[in-house]
């Protein structure tokens, strides 16, 4: 940032200088410019595509990570459940570890993989009959599953499965690998118990419940070509949904309508599930990181922070845009958005194989210090402010996370920025731990075919900032009088999904940002179809639909 400081004379000069440095530093071999996804042919596939889920590829990768030549991987899938005190079924969500080794997305199944024989088998419930068929339709048959998925064998989850497991336990070599001891087959658990039902110390259980999760996490973080294709499609639909919100925003009056436009656009493209609950925070609500009420009026508010992404084939997208409701920035909102834009631009440029994501995270804080100093919100020298960690008051979360079958996906040995089994992270502690020189953490080192997010933000939460203004260690650095001008901004976050390539990165997110957002809000765009293929666009023109949604 030193070469930026010397060129900056005012806020806009500082931002322009920063973006100039980013853009002039030489394009990445896979650097991203905003493109219309109609140019991406790979997005033209449909749900009835003949391409099968690469379950066998994934199973072999997991076996290699386990480092054994024999054994059985055993994974039960999710079950159908009703709501508590109700006969109504909950929406089914497949267990992600099971899905990774099967691609099967209906309840009541089990997958096994015989490592020595390289045999992947699916075990499904017997076909439903009678009343259940009348009400719910027929369940998939053995023939259906054999034709649709990549299995060496498909059988019923009845005596056939029990015989298979008994044969393996008595005749085959190696342990059975399960995610958790509670998931081990019943007959295996009984073998590890004595007659009284308590654990038998002298008996070695015929299953391993320790190694499988780590092996699968290490595999899941490196995406196969099929998985990347799913994420591209999810990102394309998400881009169109964000675009439709921008086109509609001047006509909307409540956060709920923003959520409705976004989700209905996704559903109309057959993406019926969101990767996470839509965050549509306007005004001060944008300062709540996971705001979810989405029910307040937009009148009198400056910005909306829309954090929303759909799933495609159970793979997530995760995109955030912050934009002015009126189509025009207030002075303060424009300043904060420009700083966050610069934070993201610099950080994305740092993504490449071998890069430590913790260093990228700290780069975002470096730029935040410079930007908030330039505005006068922070007072003092750069080094002093950076070492203090005071920017955590305004940027109180991690720069990003892995993404895949989960929005916050698993990593090889931990999360992207920290090694902790807890989902509750004290980011102030993490900040200083990284600053002091982080201990080795393989989970933070980027590698080809990882998909990560880069999502810096600056927020003006009275509740969060009060912790710092009441602490004499930090209050000396914060210009509390000037803050009053920025509280109505609420917060700004910009988030894209980034694929790590062999020599750099590719930005998978095509949702409009920056000046392009304003053009769309103000009706100055040519209605590019950011989430559609050329074929989709031609078909839409042939049969134009009418009604409130269209």
């Amino acid at each position: 940032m030193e070469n930026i400081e010397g060129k900056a004379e005012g806020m806009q000069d500082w931002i322009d200088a920063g973006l100039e440095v980013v853009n002039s530093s030489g394009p990445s071999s896979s650097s991203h410019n905003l493109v219309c996804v109609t140019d991406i042919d790979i997005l033209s596939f449909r749900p009835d595509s003949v391409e099968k889920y690469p379950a066998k590829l994934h199973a072999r990768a997991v076996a290699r990570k386990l480092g054994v030549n024999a054994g059985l991987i055993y994974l039960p899938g999710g079950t159908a459940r009703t709501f508590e005190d109700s006969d109504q079924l909950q929406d089914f969500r497949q267990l992600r570890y099971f899905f990774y080794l099967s691609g099967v997305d209906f309840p009541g199944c089990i997958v096994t993989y015989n490592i020595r024989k390289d045999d992947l088998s699916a075990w499904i419930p017997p076909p439903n009959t009678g009343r259940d068929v009348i009400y719910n339709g027929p369940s998939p048959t053995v023939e259906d599953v054999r034709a649709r998925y990549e299995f060496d064998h498909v059988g019923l989850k009845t005596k056939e499965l029990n015989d298979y497991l008994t044969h393996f336990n008595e005749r085959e070599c190696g342990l059975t690998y399960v995610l958790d001891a509670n998931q081990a087959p019943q007959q295996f658990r009984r073998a590890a118990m004595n007659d009284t039902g308590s654990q038998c110390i002298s008996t070695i259980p015929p299953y391993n419940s320790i190694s499988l999760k780590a092996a699968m996490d290490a595999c899941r973080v490196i995406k196969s070509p099929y998985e990347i294709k799913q994420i591209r499609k999810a990102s394309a639909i998400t881009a169109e949904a964000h675009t439709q919100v921008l086109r509609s925003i001047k006509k909307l009056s409540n956060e709920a309508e923003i959520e409705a436009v976004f989700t209905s656009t996704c559903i109309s493209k057959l993406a019926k599930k969101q990767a996470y609950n839509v965050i549509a925070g306007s005004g001060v609500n944008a300062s709540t990181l996971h705001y979810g009420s989405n029910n307040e009026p937009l009148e009198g508010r400056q910005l909306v922070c829309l954090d929303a992404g759909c799933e495609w084939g159970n793979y997530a997208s995760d995109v955030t845009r912050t934009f002015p409701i009126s189509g025009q920035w207030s002075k303060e909102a424009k300043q904060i958005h420009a700083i966050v834009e610069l934070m993201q631009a610099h950080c994305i440029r740092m993504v490449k194989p071998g890069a430590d994501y913790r260093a990228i995270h700290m780069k975002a804080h470096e730029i935040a210090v410079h930007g908030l100093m330039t505005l006068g919100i922070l007072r003092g020298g750069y080094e002093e402010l950076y070492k203090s960690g005071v920017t955590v008051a305004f940027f109180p979360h991690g720069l990003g996370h892995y993404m895949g079958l989960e929005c916050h996906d698993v990593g090889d040995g931990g999360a992207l920025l920290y090694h902790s089994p807890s989902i509750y992270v004290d980011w102030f502690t993490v900040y200083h731990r990284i600053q002091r020189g982080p201990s080795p953490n393989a989970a933070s080192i980027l590698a080809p075919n990882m998909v990560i997010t880069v999502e810096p933000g600056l927020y003006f939460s009275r509740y969060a900032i009060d912790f710092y203004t009441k602490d004499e260690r930090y209050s000396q650095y914060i210009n509390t009088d000037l803050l009053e001008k920025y509280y109505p901004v609420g917060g700004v976050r910009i988030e894209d999904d980034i694929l790590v390539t062999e020599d750099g990165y590719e930005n998978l997110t095509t949702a409009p940002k920056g000046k392009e957002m304003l053009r769309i809000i103000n009706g100055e765009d040519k209605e590019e179809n950011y989430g559609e293929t050329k074929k989709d666009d031609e078909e839409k023109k042939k049969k134009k639909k009418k009604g409130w949604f269209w």
Side-chain angles (χ1 to χ4, degrees):
M1 292 299 296
E2 294 74 19
N3 56 343
I4 296 176
E5 269 193 297
K7 298 173 70 174
E9 298 178 2
M11 181 61 201
Q12 193 56 50
D13 291 336
W14 185 83
I15 295 296
D16 291 343
L19 291 174
E20 180 184 336
V21 170
V22 172
N23 294 330
S24 64
S25 59
S28 166
S29 61
S30 46
S31 61
H32 171 71
N33 293 315
L34 183 64
V35 296
C36 178
V37 299
T38 57
D39 296 331
I40 304 176
D41 294 336
I42 200 168
L43 296 178
S44 61
F45 74 95
R46 292 291 183 270
D48 58 356
S49 169
V50 296
E51 185 175 11
K52 294 183 178 181
Y53 189 84
K56 194 75 170 282
L57 177 73
H58 293 171
R60 288 168 176 164
V62 172
R64 286 194 296 271
K65 283 293 182 182
L66 284 171
V68 296
N69 295 320
L72 184 75
I73 296 173
Y74 177 92
L75 284 173
T79 57
R81 299 178 183 275
T82 60
F83 291 103
E84 190 172 351
D85 299 324
S86 173
D87 65 351
Q88 296 299 303
L89 284 171
Q90 299 179 19
D91 287 341
F92 177 69
R93 188 178 192 271
Q94 186 60 275
L95 300 180
R96 281 352 196 201
Y97 287 99
F98 169 85
F99 187 85
Y100 184 74
L101 284 197
S102 69
V104 173
D105 201 21
F106 60 92
C109 302
I110 290 172
V111 63
T112 60
Y113 179 63
N114 187 313
I115 295 172
R116 183 179 66 84
K117 293 182 177 179
D118 188 30
D119 181 271
L120 186 68
S121 298
W123 307 92
I124 67 173
N128 59 346
T129 58
R131 179 186 177 91
D132 191 27
V133 176
I134 295 171
Y135 273 80
N136 302 310
S139 59
T141 65
V142 168
E143 291 73 22
D144 294 334
V145 174
R146 186 178 293 122
R148 183 174 179 183
Y149 300 102
E150 191 181 51
F151 293 113
D152 299 299
H153 173 77
V154 180
L156 295 180
K157 203 174 67 171
T158 55
K159 185 177 182 297
E160 184 181 359
L161 172 60
N162 291 333
D163 291 346
Y164 176 87
L165 294 173
T166 300
H167 178 274
F168 178 85
N169 195 28
E170 295 177 352
R171 304 288 183 87
E172 295 273 352
C173 300
L175 298 174
T176 295
Y177 294 88
V178 294
L179 286 177
D180 183 91
N182 292 327
Q183 291 188 354
Q186 287 291 336
Q187 58 266 54
F188 286 18
R189 280 186 270 169
R190 284 196 295 269
M193 300 290 177
N194 62 22
D195 294 338
T196 64
S198 58
Q199 185 72 39
C200 181
I201 297 175
S202 62
T203 301
I204 300 175
Y207 59 84
N208 177 319
S209 60
I210 298 173
S211 305
L212 183 58
K213 184 177 185 301
M216 292 193 71
D217 287 350
C219 293
R220 281 177 55 179
V221 75
I222 305 297
K223 303 298 184 288
S224 63
Y226 178 97
E227 293 178 290
I228 294 170
K229 186 184 292 188
Q230 305 300 300
I231 296 171
R232 285 188 194 278
K233 181 66 175 182
S235 297
I237 296 172
T238 290
E240 182 171 351
H242 273 276
T243 303
Q244 293 301 336
V245 170
L246 295 176
R247 287 179 179 149
S248 307
I249 190 64
K250 285 189 174 183
K251 301 173 185 176
L252 306 183
S253 60
N254 192 285
E255 294 166 347
E257 295 174 327
I258 296 173
E259 181 177 5
V261 171
F262 187 92
T263 56
S264 59
T265 302
C266 295
I267 291 170
S268 74
K269 298 297 178 184
L270 304 182
K272 299 181 70 174
K273 293 182 181 180
Q274 296 297 304
Y276 52 96
N277 292 333
V278 172
I279 299 168
S282 64
V284 295
N285 294 335
S287 68
T288 300
L289 303 184
H290 287 174
Y291 175 76
S293 298
N294 302 340
N295 61 3
E296 295 191 10
L298 304 178
E299 185 176 1
R301 297 181 175 182
Q302 295 184 25
L303 303 181
V304 167
C305 179
L306 178 59
D307 187 338
C310 70
E311 288 182 356
W312 184 263
N314 285 340
Y315 284 84
S317 60
D318 187 358
V319 176
T320 307
R321 295 292 183 260
T322 307
F323 50 86
I325 297 168
S326 67
Q328 300 296 325
W329 299 108
S330 68
K331 176 184 175 183
E332 292 77 17
K334 184 176 183 180
Q335 292 170 338
I336 299 304
H337 188 274
I339 295 172
V340 176
E341 195 173 25
L342 186 58
M343 291 163 70
Q344 195 202 36
H346 267 276
C347 290
I348 289 176
R349 291 289 301 208
M350 294 174 69
V351 172
K352 62 180 180 179
D356 189 329
Y357 197 77
R358 293 167 296 187
I360 303 175
H361 172 81
M362 297 306 288
K363 173 59 69 173
H365 277 281
E366 289 179 25
I367 298 170
V369 170
H370 282 289
L372 296 176
M373 282 177 61
T374 304
L375 293 180
I377 293 173
L378 292 183
R379 299 179 293 201
Y382 166 75
E383 291 295 335
E384 183 181 12
L385 290 170
Y386 179 69
K387 289 179 180 178
S388 75
V390 68
T391 47
V392 178
F394 304 92
F395 179 22
H397 61 78
L399 180 65
H401 51 81
Y402 292 119
M403 194 184 76
L405 282 171
E406 296 285 358
C407 171
H408 296 166
D409 210 16
V410 297
D412 184 1
L416 189 50
L417 277 167
Y418 55 91
H419 180 71
S420 170
S422 173
I423 61 172
Y424 301 104
V425 178
D426 176 0
W427 284 106
F428 187 78
T429 301
V430 172
Y431 178 95
H432 285 290
R433 186 181 299 149
I434 295 174
Q435 191 183 64
R436 287 194 301 269
S439 58
N441 180 13
S444 298
I445 307 303
L446 302 183
N449 297 320
M450 289 178 172
V451 177
I452 63 173
T453 67
V454 177
E455 50 179 306
L458 291 174
Y459 311 87
F460 295 86
S461 164
R462 288 184 185 273
Y463 179 83
I465 293 173
D466 277 353
F467 282 107
Y468 291 82
T469 57
K470 292 176 180 178
D471 188 325
E472 62 182 14
R473 292 175 297 173
Y474 310 107
S475 59
Q476 59 182 311
Y477 302 129
I478 301 174
N479 186 341
T480 53
D481 293 334
L482 188 58
L483 279 180
E484 291 301 322
K485 291 184 177 180
Y486 290 90
Y487 281 124
V489 172
V492 172
R493 180 166 64 254
I494 307 173
E495 177 181 18
D496 288 351
D497 304 331
I498 309 297
L499 170 66
V500 183
T501 62
E502 292 290 340
D503 55 359
Y505 69 91
E506 178 188 348
N507 193 329
L508 301 177
T509 300
T510 56
K513 65 165 91 171
K515 293 178 180 178
E516 186 66 17
M517 287 193 312
L518 298 191
R519 290 202 315 118
I520 294 171
I521 293 173
N522 294 312
E524 298 168 1
D525 68 313
K526 297 179 181 179
E527 298 218 356
E528 291 95 337
N529 297 303
Y530 292 95
E532 298 183 344
T533 65
K534 291 178 180 178
K535 183 178 179 182
D536 290 333
D537 192 28
E538 291 170 0
E539 290 177 355
K540 180 186 276 188
K541 289 176 181 177
K542 288 179 183 177
K543 46 181 183 179
K544 186 151 181 116
K545 298 177 181 179
K546 296 181 180 180
W548 75 268
F549 178 75
W550 292 277

